[in-house]
DNA sequence: ATTAATTTTTAGACACATCTAAATTATAAA
DNA sequence: TTTATAATTTAGATGTGTCTAAAAATTAAT
């Protein structure tokens, strides 16, 4: 039986492993969890003792299959709840993440699976992130980061990585919503910003925005 | 910002006040919370310091209006979630209480109120207990405990107090479900058991069962 | 290959919620 | 009204998760 804190560490380690395709280091994890490096070290020792990850002093950390399974279970709950909030309770996509951070720790397999049925086995959440199924399997999203696009190339926006409220509100304001067709018009070398077109409107977006948008070519 | 533990104490104190119509004493509270009396004392001091209740050494405890408001908010969430689980996710009435004990601590007024809307402002939960509205107001259930019934008297079962899984399964097995018409046939003086009739079937129920059933005359 | 800078870990402390055992107060019995 | 019993509180300890400050290991720079 894991605590909420332990689940959050496991979930964050999983996310960082996916993002960096490498072992996770202490400082980065501390930043993400919003805690101090010393606290991270303590927790890693505990989780290593529980055999949920491989931890070697000064060498970073990596989930084992038991840890990965837990990560996927928490992510499954998080994304199912986000989907529920948007689809059934009429939340907007920028309001759901914080609430889901709480709901993801509710312990009831029956609840999770009944929610899945009720939502008709959704494959992705409101941010386009894949939802692990009851066995922890998730579909591969065939999406490419916008920073990989050439000038004049276009695609459909299907997944966003940053789920912070401010960022999602900014996207909404600029019609950058899931399903929108985005065309790259210009690239600025000096700051890596793009000029893009959506719905015949043209405007500039910064590198920070670009890196969080994933499109289907 | 209250902890889960603090919320549970507040909720339990409220329930005991309602049941006994008197100040709540330490040992009873300890039993209900499933902890030790010394832990209860510690917590009461803390909650008194936060000005959620009136506590005097050796004299018992009583919520003030701030504490009552919190109790009602937790109860509101608990009962809305139970209703959701039964109405939308197809849980049975004996499966929901434990899950609701977790869900009642989710912090989001928006979620609670949207859930209320989604369920169409239910007045009672699956056990017939009234659900406080957004202002903490709850309807008065016009129900009388079965132990107050005379021989040959009958009524409609509308509220159950004990929500333990085993008890509710026992009731279901014997067709004692919300809405059932129950008639008292005989009373046994020596053990306070009743012989009752439901759906033309007759059987005996113990005092323990009787005390938890509330009917509309 | 040393030295300097950065990262990570250890040591020691604290708040929270819990416990056991002992002391205190209230209540019931003689 | 004294004594015994029961209820309640206090004292001191533990486990969890966090922190700051200091020590140790790793990595980068000279
Ligand atoms: Mn999210
Ligand atoms: Mn999401
Ligand atoms: Mn309940
Ligand atoms: Mn209920």
């Amino acid at each position: 039986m894991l605590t909420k804190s332990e689940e959050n560490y496991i979930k964050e380690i999983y996310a960082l492993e996916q993002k960096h395709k490498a072992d996770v280091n202490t400082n980065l994890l501390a930043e993400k969890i919003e805690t101090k490096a010393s606290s991270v070290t303590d927790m890693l020792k505990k989780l290593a003792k529980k055999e949920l990850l491989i931890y070697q002093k000064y060498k970073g950390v990596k989930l084992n299959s038991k840890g990965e399974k837990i990560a996927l279970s928490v992510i499954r709950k998080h994304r199912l709840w986000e989907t529920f909030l948007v689809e059934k309770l009429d939340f907007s996509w920028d309001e759901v993440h914080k609430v889901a951070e709480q709901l993801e720790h509710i312990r009831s397999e029956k609840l999770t699976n009944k929610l899945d049925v009720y939502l008709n086995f959704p494959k992705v959440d409101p941010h386009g992130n894949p939802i692990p199924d009851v066995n922890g399997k998730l579909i591969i999203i065939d999406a490419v980061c916008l920073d990989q696009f050439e000038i004049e190339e276009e695609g459909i926006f299907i997944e966003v990585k940053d789920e912070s409220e401010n960022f999602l509100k900014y996207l909404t304001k600029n019609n950058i919503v899931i399903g929108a067709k985005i065309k790259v018009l210009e690239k600025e070398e000096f700051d890596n910003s793009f000029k893009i077109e959506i719905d015949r409107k043209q405007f500039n977006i910064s590198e920070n925005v670009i890196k969080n948008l994933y499109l289907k070519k």
Side-chain angles (χ1 to χ4, degrees), chain A:
Chain A
M1 186 110 313
L2 298 188
T3 66
K4 187 182 289 191
S5 191
E6 289 170 331
E7 284 187 345
N8 282 333
Y9 273 87
I10 297 274
K11 183 181 65 152
E12 204 53 66
I13 293 166
Y14 181 88
L16 291 175
E17 277 179 9
Q18 297 298 308
K19 186 169 180 186
H20 300 293
K21 292 161 202 309
D23 287 10
V24 177
N25 58 297
T26 305
N27 270 356
L28 183 56
L29 196 46
E31 193 190 319
K32 291 287 179 185
I33 303 270
E34 293 184 5
T35 184
K36 295 300 154 79
S38 56
S39 306
V40 170
T41 302
D42 285 348
M43 183 57 92
L44 293 183
K45 282 181 187 169
K46 185 147 60 108
L47 294 174
K49 205 162 152 194
K50 291 194 177 187
E51 298 187 77
L52 301 173
L53 46 76
I54 309 300
Y55 167 64
Q56 290 182 90
K57 272 192 192 180
Y58 298 100
K59 304 280 180 179
V61 70
K62 189 174 148 56
L63 294 182
N64 63 19
S65 69
K66 215 164 136 198
E68 240 174 59
K69 207 178 145 197
I70 289 165
L72 285 163
S73 140
V74 176
I75 290 168
R76 169 169 161 81
K77 287 187 279 180
H78 183 103
R79 294 180 181 167
L80 281 174
W81 279 116
E82 285 189 344
T83 305
F84 168 74
L85 294 175
V86 167
E87 304 261 307
K88 302 293 186 180
L89 295 196
D90 199 35
F91 274 70
S92 56
W93 73 335
D94 52 79
E95 297 171 320
V96 296
H97 181 72
K98 272 197 175 169
V99 184
E101 296 259 338
Q102 296 179 63
L103 289 163
E104 73 190 7
H105 301 292
I106 301 292
R107 264 169 240 291
S108 167
E109 280 196 39
K110 181 169 263 169
L111 172 55
T112 307
N113 295 332
K114 277 181 177 284
L115 194 60
D116 199 14
V117 170
Y118 188 56
L119 298 171
N120 206 18
F121 307 104
K123 294 277 176 274
V124 295
D125 79 2
H127 311 103
N129 304 127
I131 301 175
D133 70 14
V134 66
N135 302 121
K137 272 238 154 53
L138 34 73
I139 60 165
I140 306 301
I141 303 282
D142 183 21
V144 181
C145 185
L146 184 56
D147 68 2
Q148 302 298 309
F149 276 57
E150 302 299 327
I151 291 172
E152 288 300 307
E153 203 172 5
E154 61 179 24
I156 306 293
F157 172 46
I158 59 169
E159 188 179 17
V160 59
K161 297 290 188 183
D162 181 352
E163 295 188 7
S164 69
E165 194 171 334
N166 284 341
F167 181 66
L168 294 177
K169 279 198 197 305
Y170 163 84
L171 294 184
T172 307
K173 196 176 64 190
N174 290 290
N175 297 321
I176 306 176
V177 295
I178 298 290
K181 183 185 282 183
I182 300 179
K183 184 175 184 178
V184 177
L185 299 179
E186 294 172 28
K187 293 182 173 193
E188 292 297 344
E189 286 293 336
F190 70 98
D191 69 351
N192 294 315
S193 71
F194 284 12
K195 183 184 220 183
I196 61 169
E197 183 179 290
I198 298 181
D199 298 336
R200 294 194 192 82
K201 266 178 281 183
Q202 304 184 354
F203 54 97
N204 287 81
I205 57 176
S206 70
E207 181 177 20
N208 200 303
V209 172
I210 293 165
K211 286 218 177 295
N212 281 292
L213 305 182
Y214 283 70
L215 293 79
K216 190 174 168 61
K217 280 191 174 172

